[in-house]
Amino acid sequence: MNGIFRYDSPVMEFFSCVADLMILNVITLVSMLPLVTVGAALTAMHRVLLDMVREREHHVVRSYFQTFRSNFKQATLLWGIMAAVGIGLFLDIRILRGGGLPGAVLTVILGAASFFWYLTFLYLFPLQAHFENRMRDTLKNALLMSIAAFPRTLGILAASSLPVLLVLLLDARCLPILFFLGAVGPGYLSALLYSPYLKRFEPDEE
């Protein structure tokens, strides 16, 4: 029985991992509050999550804020681009609703564009966290990788929908779960899926 509570036992490692995830979720949500910092916050979150998935030595708070600071400029610009495109697509679809057959056709086209926008978004900040590239290369690689790794992308899509499902199933009762695990829960599951794929593009020494 005493072995269960040893610091290196599987049970204690599990609880330690959950505690790290909860801390990471809270600082990520707080960092996202100004809205303009969403990109840097997601980049830092994915950096820590990838280290956790790969069982690397890490300190959640220190690693988070180091990545946040070092990626702030480019991650913020990437977030600005994605936000502007996303808002534009949403407004265009709203305007075209009820526009007859031409409007319906354009709505389908814009819906497809929105789908690929979301796929790009899912990979964008993990790539920003893990590789040093120009913005246009990071955007292009995020889109291409989401298509090339499509079986994994389906899993990442499913993981990203979990907060929405919780809201639909539990209403306000899901708020404590979202506060402590709402961002990092789907992010951790996503990191499990994209981590092996990223290894294909890493230098041998990594």
Side-chain angles (χ1 to χ4, degrees), residues 167-180:
V167 172
L168 293 175
L169 292 173
L170 299 177
D171 298 321
R173 291 171 293 176
C174 72
L175 291 178
I177 300 173
L178 294 178
F179 182 73
F180 288 109

Side-chain angles (χ1 to χ4, degrees), residues 96-110:
L96 289 169
R97 287 175 61 185
L101 182 59
V105 172
L106 288 173
T107 299
V108 170
I109 294 172
L110 290 172

Side-chain angles (χ1 to χ4, degrees), residues 44-61:
M45 181 190 78
H46 279 288
R47 175 71 265 173
V48 177
L49 288 175
L50 191 59
D51 286 342
M52 292 178 67
V53 164
R54 295 184 175 181
E55 299 182 348
R56 292 173 173 164
E57 284 285 334
H58 65 278
H59 186 283
V60 171
V61 177

Side-chain angles (χ1 to χ4, degrees), residues 35-138:
L35 295 183
V36 72
T37 56
V38 167
L42 291 176
T43 299
M45 181 190 78
H46 279 288
R47 175 71 265 173
V48 177
L49 288 175
L50 191 59
D51 286 342
M52 292 178 67
V53 164
R54 295 184 175 181
E55 299 182 348
R56 292 173 173 164
E57 284 285 334
H58 65 278
H59 186 283
V60 171
V61 177
R62 183 169 63 242
S63 297
Y64 179 91
F65 285 109
Q66 284 177 346
T67 305
F68 186 96
R69 286 192 298 270
S70 62
N71 287 271
F72 182 81
K73 182 179 179 180
Q74 183 156 313
T76 300
L77 290 171
L78 288 170
W79 161 243
I81 292 169
M82 293 300 290
V85 173
I87 292 170
L89 288 169
F90 174 77
L91 292 177
D92 286 343
I93 291 172
R94 292 272 295 184
I95 292 169
L96 289 169
R97 287 175 61 185
L101 182 59
V105 172
L106 288 173
T107 299
V108 170
I109 294 172
L110 290 172
S114 299
F115 177 70
F116 286 106
W117 173 91
Y118 189 57
L119 294 186
T120 302
F121 185 87
L122 291 176
Y123 281 85
L124 186 63
F125 298 107
L127 288 181
Q128 175 63 29
H130 197 55
F131 298 105
E132 291 186 12
N133 278 311
R134 294 175 298 180
M135 283 196 301
R136 67 180 183 183
D137 292 330
T138 302

